[in-house]
Amino acid sequence: MDMVNYAHVKWFTDVTPVKEALDNVLSPVFMGTALAVALLLAVLTQLLPSIMKLSALGKLDRQVERLRPRSFLILQYGTAVALLWSLLEGSLFAPEFIPPHGWIEITIWATIALLLIPHSIPIKLASVLIFALYVYYVGEYGLFHMLDYGFYLAIAAALGLNRTVFEKWSFPLLYLGTGLSLCWVAVEKWIYPAMSLDIVENHHVPTFGFDPAVFIVLAAFIEFVVGYLLVVGILNRLLSIVLTLIFIMTTMLFGYIEIVGHFMIHIILLLFIIEGVSFYKPPVDMHKTKLDRIVFVALNFLLVLATFLLLYYRFA
């Protein structure tokens, strides 16, 4: 099955996917933006301590800290609601997949029921079923496309690791899985720009004075940077708020499909806001001096960007 026919932006466009030439992808706008973002992130590591001292952020931390004991319950029941809503709308994982039926539908109902039981064993069984459903969909639609929804594997892991000796890895895996998924989806906009251009035109998406082609490059960078920062652990709580606002804005543009398709992402972002980074030592913290942090963040971003871009282009 040709995976480009199931690309993420196909929620909103019927344009036939056409892979852009790599020379065109690596345009002056792309290269210049990549370097500018790398430098900006390097500076951000130095501004972070001062930003976190703002009184508003301190008040936010104190308010949401009280919700941390309920984080797992939000994940547990939020996942159940997301699966139920998706199933009632005739889909699983994403709106573009064919409606589940037969044993797949029964398995989804069983997963939802298990998640509603307040006991660790049913929850662990539900995590196994989510993993099994994901593996099945990989077989149906291919690993390449299902990487868009890799955060469901992180959800399964987080649910399964609860009340085990590895419980401390639950929410870090959510950071990692969601961040990598966002990065992967962002690259799609660079490789298949015609699809995104069609969305901008048909939905009258404001480009804020930018040329539509340039706007798409910049929009993809925003999504990629957010995913990258979630992985490396910089401003996780703030980025969760910003990203949630971005998704709310896109929901206003694309409507009900967007709400259903991104509901689970909203649940995860809510957890990011609640949890912050107190349980997770960001990779950048391994470096003690300012210069080391600057070099690490800048070069690491460019390396991750190049890796995602080349992998996506190779297998697209």
Side-chain angles (χ1 to χ4, degrees):
M1 186 175 293
D2 187 358
M3 284 306 98
V4 296
N5 290 328
Y6 292 92
H8 182 74
V9 292
K10 288 291 285 182
W11 292 8
F12 309 108
T13 180
D14 295 322
V15 171
T16 301
V18 177
K19 185 192 293 187
E20 189 76 3
L22 189 57
D23 287 346
N24 294 334
V25 174
L26 301 177
S27 64
V29 172
F30 179 93
M31 299 297 289
T33 304
L35 291 174
V37 169
L39 293 175
L40 177 62
L41 294 180
V43 174
L44 182 62
T45 61
Q46 303 309 305
L47 296 178
L48 181 58
S50 298
I51 293 175
M52 297 308 295
K53 291 179 181 178
L54 294 176
S55 59
L57 292 180
K59 183 178 181 180
L60 173 65
D61 282 341
R62 290 189 295 272
Q63 291 293 329
V64 299
E65 186 71 20
R66 295 181 297 180
L67 297 175
R68 288 193 65 189
R70 302 179 182 178
S71 292
F72 186 80
L73 291 177
I74 294 174
L75 175 63
Q76 175 187 343
Y77 294 117
T79 303
V81 172
L83 292 175
L84 177 60
W85 195 359
S86 182
L87 183 60
L88 293 176
E89 293 301 323
S91 64
L92 176 65
F93 297 134
E96 73 263 34
F97 296 138
I98 60 175
H101 59 276
W103 71 270
I104 294 295
E105 184 176 4
I106 294 174
T107 303
I108 299 172
W109 280 114
T111 304
I112 296 170
L114 289 170
L115 286 171
L116 295 178
I117 301 175
H119 193 278
S120 62
I121 293 179
I123 295 172
K124 287 178 173 58
L125 291 175
S127 72
V128 173
L129 292 181
I130 292 174
F131 178 80
L133 287 168
Y134 187 91
V135 171
Y136 173 79
Y137 271 66
V138 168
E140 288 292 306
Y141 297 95
L143 177 61
F144 178 81
H145 177 52
M146 287 304 295
L147 288 175
D148 285 8
Y149 311 103
F151 59 88
Y152 275 99
L153 289 179
I155 292 171
L159 293 171
L161 293 178
N162 184 51
R163 296 187 181 180
T164 69
V165 294
F166 302 106
E167 184 176 11
K168 66 179 182 179
W169 292 100
S170 297
F171 286 100
L173 284 174
L174 278 179
Y175 272 84
L176 183 64
T178 304
L180 293 177
S181 293
L182 288 173
C183 289
W184 188 255
V185 170
V187 177
E188 176 189 68
K189 297 176 178 62
W190 295 319
I191 305 301
Y192 297 107
M195 299 171 67
S196 297
L197 282 171
D198 181 69
I199 294 174
V200 170
E201 294 174 358
N202 288 338
H203 292 274
H204 307 290
V205 177
T207 60
F208 306 101
F210 291 101
D211 179 84
V214 174
F215 175 77
I216 289 170
V217 172
L218 298 179
F221 262 106
I222 292 174
E223 192 169 14
F224 189 91
V225 168
V226 170
Y228 171 78
L229 294 182
L230 287 174
V231 172
V232 300
I234 302 176
L235 282 178
N236 281 308
R237 182 165 281 162
L238 290 179
L239 283 172
S240 300
I241 297 174
V242 172
L243 187 56
T244 299
L245 293 176
I246 292 174
F247 276 130
I248 291 175
M249 292 173 62
T250 58
T251 298
M252 294 173 63
L253 291 172
F254 301 122
Y256 189 71
I257 294 178
E258 183 86 352
I259 298 174
V260 177
H262 283 143
F263 181 74
M264 193 64 233
I265 290 287
H266 285 293
I267 296 297
I268 296 174
L269 291 174
L270 175 61
L271 291 172
F272 290 161
I273 294 173
I274 293 173
E275 287 290 324
V277 296
S278 57
F279 60 87
Y280 176 47
K281 183 178 177 63
V284 69
D285 284 350
M286 294 186 297
H287 304 276
K288 301 303 180 183
T289 68
K290 292 183 178 180
L291 180 60
D292 286 346
R293 288 173 175 240
I294 289 175
V295 173
F296 169 79
V297 174
L299 294 184
N300 186 262
F301 172 76
L302 293 175
L303 176 62
V304 172
L305 175 63
T307 301
F308 268 89
L309 186 65
L310 292 176
L311 284 175
Y312 198 108
Y313 196 87
R314 169 61 181 82
F315 295 103

